[in-house]
Amino acid sequence: MLYPDDSTPQGKELRFKQQYFFVSASLQDLLGQHMAERRPLKDLSNAIAVQLNDTHPALTVVELMRLLVDTYDME
C-alpha cells in the first residue's frame, strides 16, 4: 500500500510525514542536480518544471521556498 490509512489521527500524521519526506527528498535532489551542473539559482525556473498534482502540491511550494531561503540563502 503506497499511502497509510488516514482515517485516524495517527494515520493522518504518518501520511503527512510520508508526503513531506518524499517532497523534500525530491526537491533536494532536483536542487542538488541543478547546482552540480553549475547553474545559477536565478535560472532555476528556466531549467526545471515541477508538476503539482494529487496529494503533494501544497507541501511542494512551501518546501521549495524553505530550501531556497534556508539552504541556499535566497531572499
Side-chain angles (χ1 to χ4, degrees), residues 4-65:
D5 177 23
D6 62 358
S7 63
T8 66
Q10 296 85 2
K12 289 181 193 313
E13 181 179 355
L14 179 59
R15 185 164 178 168
F16 177 78
K17 287 178 180 179
Q18 182 187 46
Q19 289 174 359
Y20 175 76
F21 172 81
F22 286 125
V23 164
S24 186
S26 297
L27 290 172
Q28 288 178 52
D29 181 57
L30 183 142
L31 289 168
Q33 288 182 21
H34 185 81
M35 299 303 288
E37 294 170 2
R38 301 194 187 277
R39 297 180 184 181
L41 282 175
K42 67 181 178 109
D43 294 340
L44 186 65
S45 64
N46 296 323
I48 62 128
V50 176
Q51 181 175 339
L52 303 176
N53 63 348
D54 198 20
T55 58
H56 304 98
L59 289 174
T60 303
V61 174
V62 295
E63 179 61 3
L64 180 58
M65 290 173 57

